[in-house]
Amino acid sequence: MPLLRRRAALLLPLAAPLAHPALAQAPWPTRPIRIVVAFGTGGGTDITTRLLAPRLAEILGQPVVIENRVGAGGTVGADYVAKQPPNGETFLLATVSNTALALGLYARLPYDPLRDLASVAPTVFVPLAIAASARLGVTNAQDFIALLRANPGRFSYGSAGAGTSGHICSSSFLARIGATAEHVTYRNPGQTFLALQQGEIAFTTDIPSLLAPFHREGTARMMFVATEERSPAAPDVPTAREIGLGEFKAYSWYGIYAPGGTPRPIVNRMAAAIDQALADPAIAQRFEEMGTPAMRGWTPDRFADFLKSEIDLWVPLVRASGARAD
C-alpha cells in the first residue's frame, strides 16, 4: 500500500468512539491547562493549537493557555514538557519532527518520546508541498528541478529548524532528483516565508494552505504537493506523481502528549476532550479548508502504537539519508 494511503487510513475513526460522557465525571482539571507548542508562532502547529484551545477550554471548564517554546527542531519544547510534573497541567503539541524524526537525527536526544512522553491524541494529518521563490524565474516543476540539477550546491532551501518535517522533506526531494542545496534554518515559519519571498532561499516545504497566499500573489510558486491527490487549499498545484516523481510522499501530523507518568484518567479525559473539539463542525471545516484533516476517534493506546510505527518507519530512513542535527 503506498505510504500516504497507509497513513491516511489512520485518519478513519475507530468503530467505538471515545466516551465523552465521562468528561462530566472526572475531577480533573481544577487548574488552568498549558499546551506547549514546540515551534514558532504563525506555523501550522501554532495555528492548529490556537484553533482547538478555546473549544478545549469550554469542554474542560478551565482556561487553556498556549506557550511557544522553540528551538532545535522542536526538541527544546518536547524536552521541557517531558521534565514537567505529571499532574495534568502541562501538555505538548508535538509532530513527527520532535518524536520519530528526532530519534534518527540526534545522537543524544535528551528525552525518549516513548518513555518520557505519554501519548494522548493526534489532532490533524498534514500533507506537505514544496514552493519555490518567484525570483528563481521558474514557473513549473520540471524547470525547477532542471535548475537545481544544473547548479549543484548553488541554491539553498529553508526550514523552521534542523530535523523538522520541512527539512527532511526538502532533503529527501533533493536526493530523489539527484541535486544538492544548502539547508538554512530560521526561528519560525514566518521568517522562512519572508526569506522565500525575498529570494534569500530557493525553496521551502510546508503546508499548502500556508504557502497558498504567496502562490496566489506571485511571490512564490508551489511546485507540487507531496500527496496522492491535489490539495483543496491549492487545487491548481500538481501532485508529485503528476510531475514525474512517482510515489514521493511527505507528510507530518500533530498530536498532544503529556509528561510521562501522567495518570491514565487524566490522559483519557484529555483525549476525549480533544476528540470532542475536533468534532466541532466549525473546527472540522477550518481544518478541511487548510488541507489538514482531523484525526478523530483515536484512543491513547492507538496513538502510542502509531508513534511506535512511525519511529520504525522514519528512523532508518533518516539515518540512511545521513542527515544529522547535532
Side-chain angles (χ1 to χ4, degrees), residues 18 81-82 86 90-95 98-100 112-123 253-272 274 298-311:
L18 296 174
V81 172
T90 304
F91 292 85
L92 170 73
L93 190 286
T95 75
N98 51 356
T99 53
D112 183 332
L114 294 173
R115 182 192 65 221
D116 301 326
L117 295 172
S119 298
V120 179
T123 58
W253 43 262
Y254 307 155
I256 299 293
Y257 292 83
T262 298
R264 190 55 184 258
I266 293 176
V267 170
N268 287 343
R269 181 161 156 78
M270 186 61 163
I274 292 166
W298 290 58
T299 64
D301 285 341
R302 185 186 180 203
F303 190 34
D305 288 342
F306 174 62
L307 176 57
K308 292 175 185 176
S309 72
E310 287 288 89
I311 289 171

Side-chain angles (χ1 to χ4, degrees), residues 13-315:
L14 296 176
L18 296 174
H20 301 314
L23 292 174
Q25 301 171 10
W28 176 88
T30 58
R31 295 172 59 85
I33 296 165
R34 177 176 50 156
I35 300 180
V36 173
V37 177
F39 303 91
T41 57
T45 52
D46 187 63
I47 293 170
T48 296
T49 312
R50 293 182 190 278
L51 280 172
L52 289 172
R55 186 71 182 104
L56 286 173
E58 292 176 2
I59 295 167
L60 295 170
Q62 289 290 339
V64 175
V65 179
I66 310 302
E67 178 181 333
N68 296 86
R69 282 184 172 261
V70 306
T75 60
V76 169
D79 184 48
Y80 172 79
V81 172
K83 292 176 170 57
Q84 294 305 295
N87 56 13
E89 294 181 13
T90 304
F91 292 85
L92 170 73
L93 190 286
T95 75
V96 68
S97 298
N98 51 356
T99 53
L101 296 182
L103 284 173
L105 284 161
Y106 291 86
R108 292 176 296 277
L109 193 65
Y111 60 93
D112 183 332
L114 294 173
R115 182 192 65 221
D116 301 326
L117 295 172
S119 298
V120 179
T123 58
V124 295
F125 184 76
V126 187
L128 299 174
I130 285 184
S133 173
R135 301 199 179 191
L136 285 182
V138 295
T139 59
N140 60 70
Q142 288 75 18
D143 290 346
F144 172 59
I145 291 171
L147 182 67
L148 293 176
R149 284 173 171 164
N151 295 275
R154 174 185 170 189
F155 297 109
S156 60
Y157 65 95
S159 78
T164 59
S165 53
H167 170 207
I168 298 302
C169 173
S170 296
S171 176
S172 299
F173 162 67
L174 289 168
R176 184 67 170 253
I177 66 171
T180 58
E182 180 184 358
H183 180 216
V184 180
T185 61
Y186 296 88
R187 187 168 179 79
N188 56 54
Q191 293 180 350
T192 309
F193 295 153
L194 181 60
L196 181 71
Q197 292 175 283
Q198 295 179 341
E200 295 175 8
I201 55 176
F203 70 96
T204 192
T205 301
D206 217 302
I207 306 171
S209 61
L210 296 182
L211 296 169
F214 314 118
H215 181 79
R216 289 193 296 266
E217 70 187 22
T219 55
R221 184 171 184 84
M222 274 188 272
M223 295 289 103
F224 67 93
V225 291
T227 56
E228 292 180 348
E229 298 179 355
R230 294 196 178 198
S231 170
D236 64 319
V237 177
T239 66
R241 175 175 287 280
E242 288 179 274
I243 66 165
L245 290 183
E247 293 298 317
F248 178 78
K249 301 290 187 294
Y251 66 87
S252 184
W253 43 262
Y254 307 155
I256 299 293
Y257 292 83
T262 298
R264 190 55 184 258
I266 293 176
V267 170
N268 287 343
R269 181 161 156 78
M270 186 61 163
I274 292 166
D275 195 65
Q276 187 173 342
L278 290 172
D280 183 285
I283 292 175
Q285 180 180 353
R286 182 70 182 105
F287 285 144
E288 286 296 328
E289 292 170 349
M290 291 169 60
T292 55
M295 299 174 71
R296 288 205 54 222
W298 290 58
T299 64
D301 285 341
R302 185 186 180 203
F303 190 34
D305 288 342
F306 174 62
L307 176 57
K308 292 175 185 176
S309 72
E310 287 288 89
I311 289 171
D312 290 342
L313 171 69
W314 286 110
V315 169

